[in-house]
Amino acid sequence: LPDGANRRDVRSLTAMQTTVDSAIGTLIKVALVYEDSNARLRTLSPIREYVTVHMKPNDEDVILIHGFIASLACKGQISPGDEGFPLIQKELEVESGNISWILSQVITNTRNSENWVAPMLGFSTFLLWSRPSTTLLKTFLDMHEGSLQTKSVAECLLLLGDIQHMQSKYKEADKSLKEALSQFQVIGNSLGIAKCLQSLGNIQRMQCQYEEASKNLEGALLQFQSIGNSLGAAHCLHSLGNIQQVQCKFEEASRTLK
């Protein structure tokens, strides 16, 4: 793992539970592994590359490593206003190199792509709030879209559009979100439809396309209200009120924002 691991986690990453501590001690003595200032076990890049090529882990250990990384990545599906967000962001930041490395390998090699949708979405959501990147999601969709369920494709496209929005790539975001919207409409997923319309409306609002933005935000508002999602409805009303304020429709804006 490029970012190493702490001793506690190493014990859970191998089936050789009874010998792991003595093995770590031996590796440190012969300078193949060192412990950094944060008590993480690491190895130098040339050693890691040699081991990666010539000393493949057994299948049981691969399953344990993949399970550990998938569990970490799934924690990333959290927003700044959610409880525990700072702690989870800190935990994932430490492990981000390892997660990215394993997910990149999985994208190339897995035959069970549906099982990796949640980790891909989780880690990409973490990146959305820290250093927005579309690389993993775009590669995952390019290689596995045909084998994924419609809902999974739609969720990946929705998040891809939100990341592109964060990167101010409005044209690409618009395309991704409209594709996601179409997929959600096929399966009748009201929450997904609402989120797509909301994101499209906010992108159009940023580009001063107020008529189109209002239409999409009003559509999103109706969808959120139909499923009882008061937080989503409130966000839509806030955006609509801001549009009305910019258009100098102050009485309408006052009613909307109240």
Side-chain angles (χ1 to χ4, degrees):
L1 295 174
D3 283 344
N6 62 48
R7 285 178 181 264
R8 180 191 65 253
D9 291 334
V10 168
R11 295 188 186 98
S12 66
L13 296 178
T14 178
M16 301 171 61
Q17 297 291 322
T18 58
T19 59
V20 65
D21 287 326
S22 61
I24 290 172
T26 300
L27 290 170
I28 290 176
K29 284 181 181 178
V30 298
L32 290 175
V33 169
Y34 68 96
E35 194 165 16
D36 67 14
S37 59
N38 295 315
R40 291 180 69 84
L41 298 169
R42 295 177 177 270
T43 187
L44 296 176
S45 295
I47 298 172
R48 186 178 70 250
E49 291 170 6
Y50 180 88
V51 170
T52 300
V53 173
H54 299 285
M55 303 180 70
K56 302 289 185 181
N58 61 53
D59 291 343
E60 191 173 359
D61 285 350
V62 169
I63 291 171
L64 290 170
I65 293 169
H66 282 186
F68 173 75
I69 293 297
S71 177
L72 277 176
C74 286
K75 292 182 179 182
Q77 279 194 298
I78 188 170
S79 299
D82 295 336
E83 184 179 357
F85 178 80
L87 290 177
I88 289 176
Q89 285 289 100
K90 184 177 180 180
E91 180 182 5
L92 293 182
E93 185 63 46
V94 172
E95 300 286 354
S96 61
N98 293 338
I99 298 172
S100 180
W101 188 63
I102 291 294
L103 292 184
S104 297
Q105 290 186 330
V106 165
I107 289 173
T108 303
N109 300 316
T110 188
R111 295 182 180 179
N112 301 305
S113 53
E114 189 66 38
N115 294 339
W116 286 93
V117 171
M120 292 291 174
L121 290 173
F123 188 60
S124 294
T125 301
F126 158 74
L127 294 175
L128 171 68
W129 302 117
S130 54
R131 46 184 185 279
S133 173
T134 61
T135 302
L136 277 174
L137 270 182
K138 289 179 72 173
T139 306
F140 185 59
L141 282 172
D142 287 344
M143 296 188 68
H144 299 286
E145 183 173 351
S147 63
L148 295 173
Q149 297 177 11
T150 302
K151 183 173 183 288
S152 297
V153 174
E155 288 176 339
C156 289
L157 287 169
L158 171 57
L159 181 54
L160 181 62
D162 285 340
I163 295 172
Q164 290 164 333
H165 177 193
M166 189 73 79
Q167 296 174 319
S168 299
K169 297 178 179 178
Y170 299 130
K171 186 176 181 179
E172 294 93 327
D174 184 81
K175 180 182 177 182
S176 297
L177 290 167
K178 285 179 178 175
E179 290 178 8
L181 176 61
S182 177
Q183 297 279 2
F184 280 125
Q185 287 172 332
V186 167
I187 59 176
N189 188 306
S190 296
L191 179 59
I193 292 170
K195 287 182 176 180
C196 289
L197 290 172
Q198 181 185 20
S199 292
L200 283 167
N202 283 328
I203 288 173
Q204 291 157 342
R205 178 172 62 88
M206 294 290 291
Q207 298 177 93
C208 302
Q209 298 170 0
Y210 298 128
E211 185 176 345
E212 298 93 328
S214 295
K215 180 180 177 181
N216 281 319
L217 288 166
E218 286 167 0
L221 174 62
L222 290 174
Q223 292 286 343
F224 279 127
Q225 289 174 333
S226 72
I227 58 176
N229 189 317
S230 56
L231 181 59
H235 285 157
C236 289
L237 288 168
H238 184 263
S239 294
L240 284 166
N242 286 339
I243 290 173
Q244 292 160 344
Q245 185 177 14
V246 170
Q247 294 177 308
C248 298
K249 299 177 181 178
F250 300 120
E251 289 186 12
E252 292 179 40
S254 179
R255 286 196 300 270
T256 301
L257 292 170
K258 285 180 179 179

